[in-house]
Amino acid sequence: MARLTPLQLDALGESGNIAMGAAATALSQLLGQQVQITTPHLTYRTMKEIRDAHPVPCVLIRVHYKRGLQGSNIFILSEQDAGIIANLMMGNPEQPAPETLDELYLSAVSEAMNQMMGSSATAMSEMFGRIIDITPPELEYITNLQEADSEQVEIADEQEVIQIAFKLTVGNHINSTMLQIVPEEFAVTLVEEMLGPLSG
């Protein structure tokens, strides 16, 4: 499969900007903080390169589309950012997160991501003019990305994907980066929705 052209990558980034803008609004309402998820930076990476470069522990969020689109993608949130979001969800903004995120924290993060990704799907529905629905996001706490097997990540080490790095800010609490991992087939689907069928 040929790589996407710069124009096609721009279109993919714009769709991500719209979807994550809606997700940021939902998170802002949940946390009572100003939230921005902006400035998508798209690069081709293998899953191994992402594993090698990303700090751990982290939280993986898998989003599967069940209506309107076929495919899935993965979001990666740092452990620190996940802990801060959970504390804000629970009304304890100044409380330090535990050294290892427990079930209470992961449940709070899961609820935040559920609201964010639901709003993202709604924005995509408006963008593409039809109902787009997702299954509840699947959240996994990964202490070692090197040991996260292909069943967890669902992408083989050497498979090339599109990494979208978004700037994430939450009030004065978070100034960080959130990653979205988009398999190339799904990226092509999104680009074709915006630009029409790709040649070649």
Side-chain angles (χ1 to χ4, degrees), residues 69-194:
L69 288 172
Q70 283 192 325
S72 62
N73 51 71
I74 295 170
F75 292 86
I76 304 179
L77 196 61
S78 75
E79 179 188 46
Q80 180 179 9
D81 294 345
I84 292 170
I85 288 171
N87 272 331
L88 290 168
M89 286 277 290
M90 295 184 288
N92 303 315
E94 304 307 323
Q95 179 175 315
E99 285 189 17
T100 301
L101 300 183
D102 57 24
E103 286 301 315
L104 181 64
Y105 273 77
L106 293 176
S107 177
V109 175
S110 182
E111 176 57 26
M113 294 305 298
N114 195 29
Q115 295 289 333
M116 290 171 66
M117 295 305 131
S119 293
S120 170
T122 299
M124 293 176 74
S125 297
E126 294 171 357
M127 189 171 22
F128 297 146
R130 66 172 182 276
I131 294 174
I132 292 173
D133 202 4
I134 59 171
T135 59
E138 300 170 13
L139 184 142
E140 186 137 19
Y141 184 42
I142 302 293
T143 56
N144 188 339
L145 266 178
Q146 302 298 331
E147 295 174 359
D149 60 31
S150 57
E151 281 190 13
Q152 290 175 307
V153 180
E154 298 177 342
I155 300 171
D157 257 5
E158 299 309 319
Q159 182 177 339
E160 203 168 49
V161 296
I162 297 171
Q163 172 187 287
I164 308 178
F166 290 97
K167 179 177 173 61
L168 169 67
T169 59
V170 179
N172 296 320
H173 302 279
I174 295 175
N175 185 354
S176 185
T177 300
M178 181 170 71
L179 295 186
Q180 180 180 8
I181 310 302
V182 184
E184 195 165 35
E185 285 185 12
F186 187 61
V188 168
T189 297
L190 292 175
V191 171
E192 288 185 333
E193 288 288 341
M194 301 186 76

Side-chain angles (χ1 to χ4, degrees), residues 1 13 17 37 44 59 112 118 132 171 180 195:
M1 183 181 291
N17 228 355
I37 306 175
Y44 273 91
V59 176
I132 292 173
Q180 180 180 8
L195 301 179

